[in-house]
Amino acid sequence: MTEQSAPEELTYYERVGGHETFVKLVHEFYLGVAGDPPLREMYPEEDLGPAEVRLRMFLEQYWGGPKTYSETRGHPRLRMRHFPYRITPTQRDRWLHHMNAAIDTLDLAPMDEELMRGYMAHAAHFMINAEDE
Ligand code: HEM
């Protein structure tokens, strides 16, 4: 009798389309940021390209893809890395608005979409480090 091998479990990263999906997600997100002055002003670099790559690598790693983020940037410690920026509830809402608009462009399966939106809402809230005036 031959043994049946169980089908390999796909990671979330693979299931939603891998690298191309994350490239699109983060690119759409930064198009939104670029067009939103109060948010755009927080980003120190004139070119948003490098920030786009860092966020993309982080998200790919988080969802089970390549570990390039940690290999090039070290431990994420995201809350600490955001201390130089004044992230208020209003800025959180702006960030999340553009992220949700970017997720809208992806055409994910309903369950995957819910997972992604839930994670982003939680992560963005966690980054708040200042109150609105
Ligand atoms: C809540 C509102 C947020 C604001 C206003 C914000 C703003 C910023 C700014 C200004 C930077 C510096 C640009 C750079 O050098 O890359 C940055 C970096 C970064 N952010 Fe955010 N961020 C927010 C939330 C988040 C969330 C929720 C995540 C992850 C899910 C995230 C992931 C990252 C990553 C990975 C970097 C690059 C860190 C590094 O390796 O240097 N951010 N963010």
Side-chain angles (χ1 to χ4, degrees), residues 87-99:
I87 302 182
T88 63
T90 301
Q91 294 298 65
R92 183 264 327 261
D93 290 348
R94 290 178 179 280
W95 190 100
L96 205 49
H97 168 79
H98 297 298
M99 187 53 80

Side-chain angles (χ1 to χ4, degrees), residues 42-43 51 54-55 58 69 73 81-82 85 95 119 123-124:
M42 295 185 82
Y43 288 80
R54 289 190 279 269
L55 179 58
F58 172 80
Y69 180 85
R73 305 290 296 162
R81 288 190 201 256
H82 285 76
Y85 313 107
W95 190 100
Y119 166 75

Side-chain angles (χ1 to χ4, degrees), residues 28-40 48 94 98:
E28 295 285 343
F29 169 72
Y30 274 108
L31 287 177
V33 172
D36 186 345
L39 190 58
R40 176 65 184 91
L48 284 175
R94 290 178 179 280
H98 297 298

